[in-house]
Amino acid sequence: MTREPPGCRRVNSLMLYTLRSITSHRSSHPERCATSSQDAFRAFHPDLEFVGKFLKPLLIGELAPEEPSQDHGKNSKIIEDFRALRKTAEDMNLFKTNHVFFLLLLAHIIALESIAWFTVFYFGNGWIPTLITAFVLATSQAQAGWLQHDYGHLSVYRKPKWNHLVHKFVIGHLKGASANWWNHRHFQHHAKPNIFHKDPDVNMLHVFVLGEWQPIEYGKKKLKYLPYNHQHEYFFLIGPPLLIPMYFQYQIIMTMIVHKNWVDLAWAISYYIRFFVTYIPFYGILGALLFLNFIRFLESHWFVWVTQMNHIVMEIDQEAYRDWFSSQLTATCNVEQSFFNDWFSGHLNFQIEHHLFPTMPRHNLHKIAPLVKSLCAKHGIEYQEKPLLRALLDIIRSLKKSGKLWLDAYLHK
């Protein structure tokens, strides 16, 4: 049995999703790819020469000119202009990292962890110190979530292996989660955002119906797993409160065990050991376990509202085979920039720019935003940007609208 070279499994995992877009031409040299799939590939891979080595065994041949292509409906002018925009971003050094920025992010997470421990150590384990400690730890968990996202996208270090290593530390030791699990889900989402059966983030397990197509289809088929016309109400009960402490926590642990991701499991165990060694002396075993799940409960609210405000309100449908630029603009929107919004969302308020350039360090996203707006205006593509409160309320409005579409189709179609 041959052994994979270092980094091969992670590279192949990432390529699995970007290669979905390469349907009309294949090449062992992705930088020469003539189709719009080049944009998807370049978006994920900062080192094309390295990943090109793994593509060589996959080269079968070129499609004959008369073969059908999924690229036929894509706007060649938009593709050309977007590639020029990317070249401009490279010339402006917007893919260059400010390492002090990320060190400060890590430092403030460690500072929050220290403040949390000091609070319960100095003031005791009463209700007020416990609540304060829980909110501080939930904040550190949320911020660690945004930080692991940076390393997972290879947007910090030039060498992918250093990003992978620190990614495992942050998501594993600081959060008790799995890097492989995150990569498997998240790269699918980026490759095909808001596309049913391809984006796992819109797989709601029949709990919610999203967009306009799905609720009508469910209604026509008389599917009623839940009263979807009330989903904007029960969202508050089973969405933000339960995603991380119930669904994600179980899925992450089972994924590591089933797929034998022992390295990720070891990192995750190190988090749980550190947490329980720190807080069992104050709360006992059962108390520390309840305390941990309360922190997850608080973090889950933060995570759900931030991640859904940019996507769930946008078009959610089946594959339309648009060019890379148009597909990302259709599925994403932005929230206005401010110091708080940037920190609160981990710069995911620049969701449009992040989806167009996922390897760009987040501190540079605001610099490319004006150029993206100009390109949208040139081609008549809507660039949505809204205040934070409106973005959060739009989640509920979107769920309510989809629920009404389902009820109408269920009753009358």
Side-chain angles (χ1 to χ4, degrees):
M1 182 176 181
T2 59
R3 185 170 182 174
E4 291 178 331
C8 179
R9 181 176 298 178
R10 182 68 63 86
V11 171
N12 287 341
S13 174
L14 197 157
M15 288 196 296
L16 174 64
Y17 310 118
T18 54
L19 284 172
R20 283 181 172 185
S21 300
I22 304 179
T23 55
S24 58
H25 292 73
R26 297 181 183 180
S27 173
S28 59
H29 301 283
E31 71 275 12
R32 299 180 194 170
C33 184
T35 70
S36 62
S37 58
Q38 172 187 338
D39 302 314
F41 201 95
R42 286 183 61 85
F44 289 105
H45 300 286
D47 190 344
L48 296 178
E49 183 178 351
F50 176 70
V51 296
K53 297 176 182 178
F54 296 98
L55 283 176
K56 288 180 180 179
L58 303 177
L59 178 61
I60 298 173
E62 307 295 340
L63 284 179
E66 67 273 11
E67 288 296 316
S69 168
Q70 291 178 336
D71 286 350
H72 63 83
K74 297 180 180 179
N75 190 318
S76 59
K77 184 58 180 174
I78 292 179
I79 295 171
E80 180 184 341
D81 287 349
F82 174 71
R83 291 175 185 173
L85 174 61
R86 183 180 179 88
K87 181 63 168 59
T88 300
E90 292 170 352
D91 292 342
M92 293 171 64
N93 290 321
L94 296 186
F95 290 92
K96 186 176 181 180
T97 301
N98 179 350
H99 292 285
V100 174
F101 175 86
F102 289 102
L103 285 174
L104 289 175
L105 287 176
L106 179 60
H108 105 288
I109 291 168
I110 295 173
L112 288 169
E113 297 261 358
S114 302
I115 291 170
W117 174 84
F118 179 80
T119 300
V120 70
F121 173 79
Y122 187 81
F123 295 102
N125 61 356
W127 281 105
I128 294 178
T130 297
L131 286 174
I132 292 173
T133 301
F135 275 94
V136 172
L137 286 175
T139 301
S140 72
Q141 285 292 288
Q143 291 301 317
W146 309 144
L147 183 60
Q148 68 83 22
H149 179 264
D150 297 310
Y151 290 103
H153 273 294
L154 314 180
S155 64
V156 181
Y157 299 111
R158 290 186 63 184
K159 290 187 176 294
K161 66 179 180 180
W162 289 109
N163 286 291
H164 296 326
L165 178 62
V166 180
H167 185 214
K168 286 186 180 294
F169 167 76
V170 176
I171 196 172
H173 185 67
L174 296 186
K175 290 189 61 62
S178 165
N180 286 341
W181 169 85
W182 183 88
N183 277 281
H184 181 72
R185 284 185 60 95
H186 199 66
F187 286 125
Q188 290 181 77
H189 162 68
H190 267 267
K192 298 292 181 182
N194 285 12
I195 302 299
F196 286 118
H197 311 302
K198 295 184 178 181
D199 180 0
D201 288 2
V202 296
N203 176 20
M204 294 296 168
L205 304 175
H206 305 303
V207 177
F208 300 100
V209 289
L210 305 177
E212 297 183 1
W213 175 82
Q214 187 185 42
I216 293 174
E217 285 298 303
Y218 271 47
K220 288 179 178 178
K221 295 176 181 178
K222 309 304 176 187
L223 297 178
K224 188 181 181 182
Y225 296 97
L226 285 169
Y228 298 119
N229 51 311
H230 294 290
Q231 65 179 2
H232 61 290
E233 297 167 341
Y234 66 70
F235 170 78
F236 292 95
L237 300 176
I238 63 177
L242 301 181
L243 182 66
I244 290 179
M246 293 289 290
Y247 182 63
F248 273 1
Q249 195 160 241
Y250 170 79
Q251 188 186 60
I252 290 169
I253 293 173
M254 290 306 298
T255 298
M256 290 188 290
I257 294 173
V258 171
H259 293 281
K260 299 180 181 180
N261 294 326
W262 305 130
V263 173
D264 282 11
L265 185 60
W267 279 112
I269 289 173
S270 74
Y271 164 80
Y272 287 105
I273 291 174
R274 177 171 60 87
F275 181 89
F276 287 118
V277 167
T278 303
Y279 291 103
I280 282 177
F282 301 107
Y283 299 104
I285 296 176
L286 179 60
L289 189 61
L290 293 172
F291 187 49
L292 173 63
N293 280 281
F294 181 59
I295 294 166
R296 299 284 197 221
F297 168 84
L298 295 175
E299 179 200 358
S300 188
H301 283 80
W302 192 329
F303 174 82
V304 169
W305 287 102
V306 168
T307 56
Q308 297 309 306
M309 69 184 183
N310 301 114
H311 290 296
I312 201 173
V313 300
M314 304 300 290
E315 178 184 301
I316 304 175
D317 209 333
Q318 295 181 306
E319 178 68 85
Y321 301 111
R322 299 183 178 96
D323 57 85
W324 173 256
F325 185 82
S326 300
S327 66
Q328 302 305 317
L329 264 296
T330 302
T332 58
C333 65
N334 278 8
V335 170
E336 292 177 349
Q337 182 186 24
S338 70
F339 178 81
F340 175 79
N341 288 353
D342 292 352
W343 174 83
F344 181 73
S345 68
H347 287 83
L348 293 181
N349 50 328
F350 289 97
Q351 191 72 210
I352 293 172
E353 288 72 25
H354 168 62
H355 263 256
L356 292 174
F357 309 102
T359 59
M360 183 179 290
R362 63 158 113 158
H363 54 72
N364 286 333
L365 294 176
H366 74 279
K367 297 177 182 178
I368 196 65
L371 301 181
V372 174
K373 288 181 184 178
S374 297
L375 185 55
C376 288
K378 177 180 179 180
H379 292 282
I381 299 174
E382 185 177 10
Y383 181 102
Q384 288 197 36
E385 185 178 40
K386 59 188 76 170
L388 177 62
L389 181 58
R390 181 188 155 195
L392 299 178
L393 291 175
D394 280 351
I395 296 174
I396 306 305
R397 295 189 186 107
S398 175
L399 290 171
K400 187 175 182 179
K401 177 183 177 182
S402 296
K404 286 183 176 179
L405 289 172
W406 168 82
L407 182 62
D408 179 68
Y410 187 85
L411 295 176
H412 305 298
K413 295 184 180 180

